[in-house]
């Protein structure tokens, strides 16, 4: 289980490390004046530069550093300056990093960064969240030419990695027409919802994979009523659901809403092209009615509203449920538990069912884990780009030895460096590479991560059921086969608001979402009526949604 959970963390997050908090360390006056690359080099767009040029004398840079939970146990502040990443920055680029301070925990680190911003005492390079970037946009503390620097110094590989996330990350970092930060991109598509079904139950009952919402209901009802586990008891359910069913990941209902072309908790474009909050659109009513019908027919646990995702997932471990909506990694957790306890079980991930002839579009949110900003009086912003280039070269470049050195089982992995860019399609690419190797038998092009997936899938094919999870995610029948279908058909529906929280959002959105989930839960359980939906919408508007919608559209208009 520990191994599976660590893999899930890697898949879902890429890395748990985020740059943390900082202080102004060394202004580096002498190095700044004498370094190989000068400020003029970074601003003259027509001058040819060597992105790999080494600073001489050494360039000292103060940064912020967050110690993630994944490495907290073994992390040593004393050893950090000499880890492989920092040694390579010095050897390759003449860059010496100094952590202004170390901190643990998102809340503490965010607080420290906010204090640093408020006191105008930030390090040379710092990672901030979108709200902190918005605060900085109203000051003169940071450089405003980072996109020009990026365009000039970023390697073609770095540019291709960042480009996988589209233009939205850059839009989110733009204030007043200027790109104020380099977005730290990660995968947005990996949060998409899939329809996970017990294929062995379908086979036993003679049912086909459902592609419509009506067919899905028929299958769920059969899973409830036709004793698919063969124990002679009416103790199975059609759908696994948890109380936070609007949160992506596990035992959620987003896939059902998307099946009715509804998009809760994200911003979509209405018929006039304006941004509108998906949770209050008419399509929500059909999805809620569908869920209410499921509840009345006993296809969902009666006490789902009291169970978090971990508690709800016990249905999978006990072999008492045949369908759930969740992310690509669900084949590892919790669905591997079904395989562990019932060797003939066979969970598979399918595309979302739809209520009509139009395909359902899985909703996703922009995944930018932070924004790199550079202090205004720091003369070498290109140093940031060089460190990002090293990361993408190691992580996505063709040199397998370099990959293994930094990311292999004996390397430092991604943890000790704050400077990262993760390809949006990294895991999809791994699936494609692994399945190609499975077909050809040629593993020479696999990196060590992909080789691990390949080896475990071969073990599963040889009869080791503990490795089924790797087949169910990265194999030929895995969730990424469907992910590739989503990608090829351009089905992902991105939340159209990815700016900093608006003024009214900060004070009202939590209350709005609490009211939303309470009403939806009551409708599903029959404690409130779908006939009160318009009243519900009016209530949210009065709580601030009308003003938030106005502010969101002002943001949208400003970025065009």
């Amino acid at each position: 289980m520990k191994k599976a959970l660590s893999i899930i963390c890697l898949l879902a997050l890429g890395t748990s490390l985020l740059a943390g908090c900082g202080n102004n360390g060394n202004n580096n006056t002498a190095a700044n004046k004498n370094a190989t690359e000068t400020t003029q080099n970074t601003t003259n767009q027509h001058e040819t530069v060597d992105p790999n040029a080494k600073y001489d004398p050494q360039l000292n840079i103060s940064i912020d550093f967050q110690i993630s939970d994944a490495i907290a146990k073994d992390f040593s502040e004393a050893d950090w300056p000499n880890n492989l990443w920092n040694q390579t920055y010095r050897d390759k680029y003449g860059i010496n990093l100094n952590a202004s301070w170390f901190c643990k925990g998102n809340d503490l680190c965010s607080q420290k960064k906010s204090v640093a911003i408020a006191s105008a005492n930030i390090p040379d390079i710092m990672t901030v969240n979108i709200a902190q970037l918005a605060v900085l946009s109203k000051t003169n503390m940071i450089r405003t030419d980072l996109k020009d620097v990026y365009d000039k110094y970023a390697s073609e590989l770095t540019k291709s990695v960042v480009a996988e996330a589209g233009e939205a990350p850059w839009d989110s970092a733009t204030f007043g027409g200027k790109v104020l930060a380099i977005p730290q991109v990660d995968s947005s598509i990996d949060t998409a919802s899939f329809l996970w079904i017990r294929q062995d139950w379908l086979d036993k009952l003679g049912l086909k994979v459902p592609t419509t919402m009506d067919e899905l209901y028929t299958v769920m009802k059969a899973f409830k009523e036709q004793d698919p586990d063969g124990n002679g008891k009416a103790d199975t359910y059609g759908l696994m659901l948890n109380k936070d069913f609007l949160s992506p990941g596990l035992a959620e209902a987003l896939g059902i809403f998307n099946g009715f072309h509804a998009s809760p908790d994200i911003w979509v474009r209405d018929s006039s092209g304006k941004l509108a909050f998906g949770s209050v659109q008419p399509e929500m009513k059909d999805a809620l009615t569908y869920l209410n019908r499921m509840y009345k027919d006993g296809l969902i646990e009666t006490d789902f509203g009291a169970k978090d995702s971990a508690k709800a997932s016990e249905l999978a471990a006990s072999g008492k449920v045949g369908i759930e909506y969740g992310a690509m990694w669900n084949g590892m957790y919790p669905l591997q538990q079904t395989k562990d306890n019932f060797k003939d079980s066979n969970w598979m991930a399918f595309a979302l069912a739809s209520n009509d002839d139009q395909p359902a579009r899985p909703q996703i949110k922009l995944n930018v884990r932070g924004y790199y900003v550079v202090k205004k009086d720091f003369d070498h912003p290109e140093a940031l780009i060089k460190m990002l280039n090293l990361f993408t070269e190691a992580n996505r470049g063709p040199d397998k030895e370099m990959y293994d050195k930094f990311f292999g089982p004996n390397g430092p992995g991604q943890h000790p460096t704050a400077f990262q860019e993760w390809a949006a399609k990294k895991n999809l690419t791994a699936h494609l590479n692994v399945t190609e190797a499975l077909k050809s038998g040629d593993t020479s092009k696999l990196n060590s991560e992909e080789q691990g997936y390949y080896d475990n899938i071969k073990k599963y094919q040889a009869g080791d059921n503990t490795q089924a999870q790797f087949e169910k995610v990265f194999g030929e029948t895995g969730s990424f086969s469907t992910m590739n279908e989503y990608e090829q058909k351009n089905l992902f529906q991105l939340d159209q608001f990815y700016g900093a929280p608006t003024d009214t959002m900060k004070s009202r959105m939590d209350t709005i979402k609490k009211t939303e989930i309470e009403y939806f839960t009551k409708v599903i359980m029959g404690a409130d009526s779908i006939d009160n939906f318009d009243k519900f919408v009016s209530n949210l508007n009065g709580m601030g949604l009308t003003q938030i919608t106005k502010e969101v559209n002002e943001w949208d208009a400003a970025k065009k």
Side-chain angles (χ1 to χ4, degrees), residues 299-532:
L299 309 187
I300 310 171
E301 288 183 292
T302 56
D303 60 346
F304 83 90
K307 295 187 174 183
D308 60 19
S309 60
K311 192 66 176 177
S313 69
E314 292 177 1
L315 274 184
S318 62
K320 298 303 181 184
V321 69
I323 291 175
E324 73 109 3
Y325 281 93
M328 54 85 181
W329 47 263
N330 284 193
M332 293 186 164
Y333 174 82
L335 305 184
Q336 175 63 39
Q337 293 179 325
T338 312
K339 193 69 172 178
D340 293 340
N341 297 328
F342 304 92
K343 65 182 181 66
D344 294 327
S345 64
N346 183 22
W347 282 100
M348 293 184 64
F350 300 98
L352 304 182
S354 172
N355 72 321
D356 57 25
D357 60 356
Q358 297 301 310
R361 301 185 63 198
Q363 65 183 70
I364 59 175
K365 288 180 177 287
L366 179 64
N367 190 0
V368 174
R369 295 192 294 111
Y371 297 84
Y372 299 110
V373 296
V374 177
K375 190 170 63 174
K376 186 175 183 179
D377 62 359
F378 181 66
D379 290 336
H380 292 280
E382 75 283 349
L384 164 63
I385 313 305
K386 292 184 176 189
M387 290 186 286
L388 295 177
N389 286 342
L390 178 65
F391 184 88
T392 59
E393 180 184 0
N395 187 248
R396 302 295 291 171
D399 189 337
K400 289 184 62 176
E401 290 185 3
M402 185 177 185
Y403 181 94
D404 289 343
K405 179 180 178 181
F406 285 94
F407 297 96
N410 297 319
Q414 68 274 21
H415 301 301
T417 179
F419 302 104
Q420 312 163 17
E421 296 289 359
W422 292 92
K425 302 174 187 175
K426 182 188 82 72
N427 289 323
L428 175 57
T429 299
H431 156 75
L432 295 174
N433 291 343
V434 168
T435 52
E436 179 61 31
L438 289 167
K439 293 175 184 177
S440 67
D442 179 8
T443 63
S444 62
K445 296 180 181 180
L446 302 180
N447 61 37
S448 58
E449 178 185 346
E450 295 165 347
Q451 183 69 53
Y453 300 149
Y454 175 92
D455 292 343
N456 287 327
I457 291 172
K458 295 296 285 187
K459 292 176 184 177
Y460 168 66
Q461 292 175 345
D464 183 355
N465 279 340
T466 65
Q467 306 304 315
Q469 54 193 304
F470 294 96
E471 168 62 32
K472 296 308 174 184
V473 176
F474 290 102
E476 293 181 79
T477 65
S479 54
F480 273 98
S481 293
T482 301
M483 184 80 80
N484 193 43
E485 178 184 339
Y486 287 164
E487 170 68 18
Q488 294 298 314
K489 294 180 179 180
N490 194 29
L491 293 179
F492 299 112
Q493 182 180 202
L494 178 66
D495 185 350
Q496 292 300 294
F497 177 74
Y498 35 80
T502 70
D503 289 341
T504 310
M505 274 184 182
K506 296 174 186 176
S507 60
R508 305 289 182 85
M509 203 63 183
D510 285 347
T511 302
I512 287 172
K513 289 191 175 182
K514 180 181 178 181
T515 303
E516 171 193 21
I517 195 70
E518 287 177 351
Y519 173 68
F520 290 171
T521 302
K522 287 180 178 179
V523 170
I524 294 171
M525 299 179 74
D528 204 335
S529 172
I530 196 64
D531 294 335
N532 292 325

Side-chain angles (χ1 to χ4, degrees), residues 10-263:
L10 177 63
L11 294 176
L13 300 179
T15 173
S16 58
L17 179 71
L18 295 178
C21 323
N23 184 352
N24 184 14
N26 188 331
N27 284 334
N28 234 13
T29 304
N32 289 347
K33 289 180 179 179
N34 297 302
T36 303
E37 290 134 311
T38 65
T39 305
Q40 286 74 23
N41 284 351
T42 67
T43 57
N44 184 346
Q45 294 301 298
H46 300 289
E47 184 177 354
T48 301
V49 298
D50 177 6
N52 292 315
K54 186 175 182 178
Y55 296 100
D56 185 15
Q58 182 174 271
L59 181 65
N60 294 311
I61 303 176
S62 61
I63 68 167
D64 59 304
F65 194 85
Q66 177 170 333
I67 303 168
S68 71
D69 292 340
I71 63 170
K73 181 180 178 181
D74 300 319
F75 185 83
S76 167
E77 293 183 15
D79 293 341
W80 178 81
N82 294 313
N83 70 43
L84 179 59
W85 289 101
N86 290 346
Q87 288 177 351
T88 307
Y89 296 146
R90 287 192 292 269
D91 295 343
K92 184 177 178 67
Y93 298 124
I95 293 174
N96 182 56
L97 297 182
N98 298 294
S100 296
W101 66 68
F102 298 94
C103 63
K104 301 177 182 178
N106 290 333
D107 291 342
L108 175 61
C109 290
S110 180
Q111 182 182 11
K112 285 195 171 187
K113 281 184 277 191
S114 294
V115 170
I117 293 169
S119 61
N121 190 23
I122 65 175
D124 298 324
I125 301 175
M126 182 166 72
T127 306
V128 298
N129 61 34
I130 187 67
Q132 291 162 337
L133 182 60
V135 173
L136 284 168
S137 73
K138 300 174 182 178
T139 73
N140 63 351
M141 278 191 275
I142 59 174
R143 296 188 66 121
T144 62
D145 61 346
L146 289 192
K147 187 59 164 64
D148 292 339
V149 176
Y150 174 86
D151 290 341
K152 191 171 186 178
Y153 282 89
S155 66
E156 290 305 312
L157 179 58
T158 296
K159 290 178 179 177
S160 68
V161 167
V162 175
E164 282 191 11
E167 290 299 316
W170 293 107
D171 288 343
S172 69
T174 302
F175 293 78
K178 294 181 178 179
V179 177
L180 302 186
I182 305 298
Q184 184 186 17
V185 298
D186 204 334
S187 178
S188 298
I189 67 174
D190 281 0
T191 63
S193 183
F194 296 83
L195 174 58
W196 289 90
I197 305 179
R198 285 277 300 266
Q199 180 67 55
D200 55 307
W201 282 13
L202 289 176
D203 294 342
K204 181 176 181 179
L205 300 181
L207 300 169
K208 67 176 184 177
V209 176
T211 59
T212 70
M213 299 306 291
D214 285 343
E215 291 174 352
L216 176 62
Y217 202 92
T218 298
V219 169
M220 288 190 291
K221 196 169 178 61
F223 284 178
K224 169 65 178 177
E225 298 175 351
Q226 296 182 27
D227 191 27
D229 62 351
N231 68 352
K233 300 177 182 179
D235 58 354
T236 53
Y237 293 91
L239 181 72
M240 186 168 77
L241 196 66
N242 87 91
K243 65 183 180 66
D244 301 310
F245 52 85
L246 294 183
S247 298
L250 171 62
E252 38 97 333
L254 293 178
I256 288 180
F257 286 101
N258 296 164
F260 286 93
H261 311 299
S263 309

